[in-house]
Amino acid sequence: CISQDIDHILEMQSALAVDLGGTNLRVAIVSMKGKLVKKYTQPNPKTFEERIEVILSMCKQAIADAVHQNCRVLGVGVSTGGRVNPKEGVVLDSTKLIREWAGVNVRTPVSSALHLPVWVDNDGNCAALAEKKFGHGKGMENFVTVITGTGIGGGIIQHGELIHGSTFCAAELGHIMVALEGPECSCGSHGCIEAFASGLALQREAKRLHDEDLLLVEGMSVSNKEQVNAADLIHAAHLGNSKAEAVLHTAGTALGVGIVNILHTVNPSLVVLSGILAKHYEGPVCQVIRQRALSSARDIRVVTSDLEEPALLGAASMVLDYATRRTY
Amino acid sequence: CISQDIDHILEMQSALAVDLGGTNLRVAIVSMKGKLVKKYTQPNPKTFEERIEVILSMCKQAIADAVHQNCRVLGVGVSTGGRVNPKEGVVLDSTKLIREWAGVNVRTPVSSALHLPVWVDNDGNCAALAEKKFGHGKGMENFVTVITGTGIGGGIIQHGELIHGSTFCAAELGHIMVALEGPECSCGSHGCIEAFASGLALQREAKRLHDEDLLLVEGMSVSNKEQVNAADLIHAAHLGNSKAEAVLHTAGTALGVGIVNILHTVNPSLVVLSGILAKHYEGPVCQVIRQRALSSARDIRVVTSDLEEPALLGAASMVLDYATRRTY
Ligand SMILES: [Ca+2]
Ligand SMILES: [Ca+2]
Ligand SMILES: [Zn+2]
Ligand SMILES: [Zn+2]
């Protein structure tokens, strides 16, 4: 029957998603319904030339494999750390973790080599797009995603669209400051929520406690001091280490206050917490909202993302949504 | 000549602007070019019924006077403290300073009595609309206004329009928090920029210093302790009182950090500082931006408003812009 045929054709339409992180370069074939058909991972090279070369060879492999998976690739979506001009497909500047990645036109070389349209955006923005297409943000006009991983990023959807701001640095949510002084941040400022509540911030505090012989409690061991991390801190707190609890309490309060600041600025109807630490922070964030948000902003819904791969899914969603619009 | 006639007709089109503050209720006839043709002031009554009655009698007077001024009144714009649903013309809730002013439909009684269309919005949002039509925001797609007076308010213009948010509490900029602890705020939270940098916050600190005999320096006198205010604090700092300087430094830093948080969230191309303390804060805010904003957000333009009456002009601008659109 015809409607089944159409379903079948839609099912076949797919995107190549590229995720450029500090450590890895990943590519995936993603179906219209958000299925990760196949994933590829390589270390992210340290130079621009090698990076573009690896992206192209991984994408070519994925395109070849897509044929066998009966997937028609509509285009390439790229999620990357750093600040992006999505109109031009250019990475304007980046974190220290991705070298030689400033003032780089990603679209042109990828599009020319693969003969496919290419979209590029910031990883936090891609995470928001992923929620909008496949996650808790489906059908939502105004929502915010905050990703707590190694760092803290995010994206803001207003009237159904990402906001990029006048110089493409809207939704740099990790650098919302919640202390006049406070811990130093990778951005050069201090008191940012990233400096309080990111994976790196928790690791810094875990190491500090370990240095002072204050981290380990009965039933815990850490083989290598250099490997002490956020998970150990959370573990210690669960085992009753009050110093570890205090660090996590401050981190949760800082993240919560940062999120209340977002509520009082753009007043979304939903906050999606994403990233490895999301589940851990959901409770503390809700508590801070109850205590410190204006009563009119307090009824916000806060949820933890269900998506396994927000960056890849968001990168794919640009292709899947925009390829049919035929505009960049 | 015909073009002069048209100029003449445009000149005549005007708005009634109503400004509902904690102390006063003001009405003005405002021309298309932003001239305040005539102003009226009354104390703001304490009850809903009296307030509506006074608004109507002042507006009727203004309408009568407008005829003699050769002004054609297109409608009524109302600027009010509190949270507003501008689609419905309803004040949802308000500050403690305006009593019996929650869940109030302002549009219907005013429109029915005067047979004119009525627009209503929050005073901070009106200040932003005033900048957009008559001030530094002319022709700007993305900018933010922060008003530092008795309290702190603001408005955010994105893509040429105010953002109101999902529950009409976007741009509650006074309640951006910049400290995990910090001074108590009128909103029930603590560490808000309003609690650090508003006129009331500076007055609180001036009184505290005066109580401790630390405010007055040579060449200064304060007749009545209860009248000690922000101006005395600024005066003392100018005369070299280091305690007063420290208070103002903290206030300026707090306001600056709050504004950087706005930059990292919506990334406007302009910040307009408005209200009686604007000029005083321009320097400190610029300094904090240089020190603590992301490099990509640092080139923001920060200016002090030139407008004498932002709330009235913004209220008028809703009429002058929307009356021709014929939509609420
Ligand atoms: Ca972002
Ligand atoms: Ca406002
Ligand atoms: Zn930072
Ligand atoms: Zn507050």
Side-chain angles (χ1 to χ4, degrees):
Chain A
C1 97
I2 289 171
S3 92
Q4 267 184 341
D5 282 353
I6 289 172
D7 274 3
H8 185 67
I9 291 164
L10 288 174
E11 187 70 16
M12 296 295 97
Q13 296 195 327
S14 62
L16 288 195
V18 179
D19 177 32
L20 284 148
T23 313
N24 288 324
L25 202 171
R26 301 182 315 141
V27 170
I29 306 167
V30 181
S31 79
M32 188 58 93
K33 293 191 171 160
K35 195 178 155 221
L36 289 139
V37 177
K38 195 155 184 181
K39 278 201 275 187
Y40 310 81
T41 304
Q42 294 277 342
N44 193 342
K46 301 281 175 236
T47 69
F48 164 72
E49 291 81 5
E50 282 182 273
R51 189 173 298 127
I52 292 288
E53 203 173 293
V54 173
I55 291 171
L56 292 180
S57 72
M58 289 172 83
C59 284
K60 281 173 186 168
Q61 180 64 54
I63 289 167
D65 293 347
V67 175
H68 300 292
Q69 302 280 345
N70 220 17
C71 290
R72 189 159 67 83
V73 174
L74 299 174
V76 181
V78 180
S79 165
T80 175
R83 192 166 56 101
V84 173
N85 176 341
K87 286 178 201 151
E88 309 290 336
V90 167
V91 179
L92 298 167
D93 45 54
S94 190
T95 61
K96 288 167 204 159
L97 296 172
I98 312 179
R99 285 156 61 184
E100 298 195 13
W101 205 237
V104 168
N105 185 325
V106 178
R107 175 178 291 153
T108 305
V110 176
S111 186
S112 320
L114 304 178
H115 308 288
L116 285 168
V118 174
W119 288 267
V120 187
D121 211 333
N122 164 270
D123 48 9
N125 292 354
C126 284
L129 291 177
E131 295 300 332
K132 182 167 140 55
K133 189 159 182 76
F134 301 116
H136 291 293
K138 251 187 254 181
M140 307 289 293
E141 281 290 298
N142 298 300
F143 74 93
V144 170
T145 301
V146 178
I147 314 132
T148 44
T150 313
I152 294 183
I156 301 174
I157 302 280
Q158 279 264 323
H159 304 302
E161 302 280 347
L162 279 174
I163 66 167
H164 286 98
S166 63
T167 56
F168 307 103
C169 72
E172 282 286 357
L173 304 180
H175 306 289
I176 290 178
M177 290 171 276
V178 294
L180 296 185
E181 306 298 331
E184 276 179 35
C185 185
S186 64
C187 72
S189 183
H190 39 103
C192 299
I193 58 175
E194 179 163 306
F196 276 108
S198 66
L200 279 178
L202 296 186
Q203 182 173 43
R204 179 196 68 218
E205 293 301 301
K207 282 184 174 163
R208 187 181 57 77
L209 287 179
H210 196 53
D211 282 351
E212 297 169 13
D213 266 336
L214 295 169
L215 182 66
L216 299 186
V217 292
E218 225 185 291
M220 253 189 96
S221 66
V222 174
S223 53
N224 179 340
K225 189 198 133 182
E226 285 313 304
Q227 284 167 12
V228 168
N229 62 24
D232 297 314
L233 191 76
I234 293 169
H235 188 195
H238 283 168
L239 292 175
N241 180 332
S242 62
K243 301 269 181 191
E245 276 171 12
V247 167
L248 289 174
H249 179 77
T250 301
T253 303
L255 184 64
V257 167
I259 287 174
V260 171
N261 287 346
I262 299 168
L263 306 188
H264 292 173
T265 307
V266 295
N267 185 27
S269 54
L270 171 72
V271 173
V272 182
L273 300 175
S274 172
I276 42 164
L277 292 165
K279 199 75 223 168
H280 167 73
Y281 281 126
E282 189 180 320
V285 165
C286 288
Q287 197 184 347
V288 173
I289 290 173
R290 277 194 303 275
Q291 290 166 345
R292 298 182 69 168
L294 294 173
S295 58
S296 48
R298 216 173 284 161
D299 288 337
I300 182 90
R301 204 154 62 89
V302 178
V303 296
T304 296
S305 175
D306 292 332
L307 303 176
E308 257 180 66
E309 293 282 7
L312 286 172
L313 289 172
S317 83
M318 296 189 285
V319 178
L320 300 171
D321 282 352
Y322 302 155
T324 48
R325 288 197 203 170
R326 287 284 163 229
T327 52
Y328 279 101
Chain B
C1 99
I2 290 170
S3 90
Q4 269 187 339
D5 283 353
I6 289 172
D7 274 3
H8 184 67
I9 291 165
L10 288 175
E11 188 69 15
M12 297 293 97
Q13 296 195 326
S14 61
L16 289 194
V18 179
D19 177 33
L20 284 149
T23 312
N24 288 323
L25 201 170
R26 301 182 315 141
V27 169
I29 306 167
V30 181
S31 79
M32 188 58 91
K33 292 192 171 161
K35 192 176 158 226
L36 290 140
V37 177
K38 195 155 184 180
K39 278 201 275 187
Y40 310 81
T41 305
Q42 294 277 341
N44 193 343
K46 301 280 174 239
T47 67
F48 164 72
E49 291 81 4
E50 279 183 275
R51 190 173 298 125
I52 292 289
E53 205 173 290
V54 173
I55 291 170
L56 291 179
S57 73
M58 289 172 81
C59 284
K60 281 172 185 167
Q61 181 62 56
I63 289 166
D65 293 348
V67 175
H68 300 292
Q69 302 281 345
N70 221 16
C71 289
R72 189 158 67 85
V73 174
L74 300 175
V76 182
V78 179
S79 165
T80 176
R83 191 167 56 102
V84 173
N85 176 340
K87 286 179 201 152
E88 308 289 338
V90 167
V91 179
L92 298 167
D93 44 53
S94 189
T95 62
K96 289 166 201 160
L97 296 172
I98 312 178
R99 284 157 60 184
E100 299 194 12
W101 206 235
V104 168
N105 185 324
V106 178
R107 176 179 288 155
T108 304
V110 176
S111 186
S112 319
L114 303 179
H115 307 289
L116 285 168
V118 174
W119 288 264
V120 188
D121 212 332
N122 164 270
D123 48 10
N125 291 354
C126 284
L129 290 177
E131 295 300 332
K132 182 167 141 54
K133 189 161 182 75
F134 302 116
H136 292 291
K138 251 186 253 183
M140 306 289 293
E141 281 289 297
N142 296 301
F143 74 93
V144 170
T145 301
V146 178
I147 314 131
T148 45
T150 312
I152 294 183
I156 302 173
I157 302 279
Q158 279 263 324
H159 304 304
E161 303 280 346
L162 279 173
I163 65 166
H164 286 97
S166 63
T167 57
F168 307 104
C169 72
E172 281 285 359
L173 304 180
H175 305 290
I176 288 177
M177 290 171 275
V178 295
L180 295 184
E181 307 298 333
E184 276 180 35
C185 184
S186 64
C187 72
S189 183
H190 40 104
C192 299
I193 58 175
E194 178 163 306
F196 276 107
S198 67
L200 279 178
L202 296 186
Q203 182 173 44
R204 179 197 69 216
E205 293 301 301
K207 282 185 174 162
R208 188 181 56 77
L209 288 179
H210 196 52
D211 281 351
E212 298 168 11
D213 267 334
L214 295 170
L215 182 67
L216 300 186
V217 291
E218 224 184 292
M220 252 189 97
S221 67
V222 175
S223 53
N224 178 340
K225 187 198 132 182
E226 286 313 305
Q227 284 167 12
V228 169
N229 62 23
D232 297 314
L233 190 75
I234 293 170
H235 188 196
H238 284 168
L239 292 175
N241 179 331
S242 62
K243 301 268 182 193
E245 275 173 11
V247 167
L248 289 174
H249 179 76
T250 302
T253 303
L255 184 64
V257 168
I259 286 174
V260 171
N261 286 347
I262 300 168
L263 305 188
H264 292 173
T265 307
V266 294
N267 185 25
S269 54
L270 171 73
V271 173
V272 182
L273 300 175
S274 169
I276 41 164
L277 292 166
K279 199 75 224 167
H280 166 73
Y281 280 126
E282 190 181 320
V285 165
C286 288
Q287 198 183 345
V288 173
I289 290 173
R290 277 194 303 276
Q291 289 166 344
R292 299 182 67 169
L294 294 173
S295 58
S296 48
R298 217 174 282 162
D299 288 336
I300 182 90
R301 204 155 62 90
V302 177
V303 297
T304 296
S305 175
D306 293 331
L307 303 176
E308 256 180 68
E309 293 281 7
L312 285 171
L313 289 172
S317 83
M318 295 189 284
V319 177
L320 300 171
D321 282 352
Y322 303 155
T324 47
R325 289 197 205 171
R326 287 284 165 231
T327 52
Y328 278 102

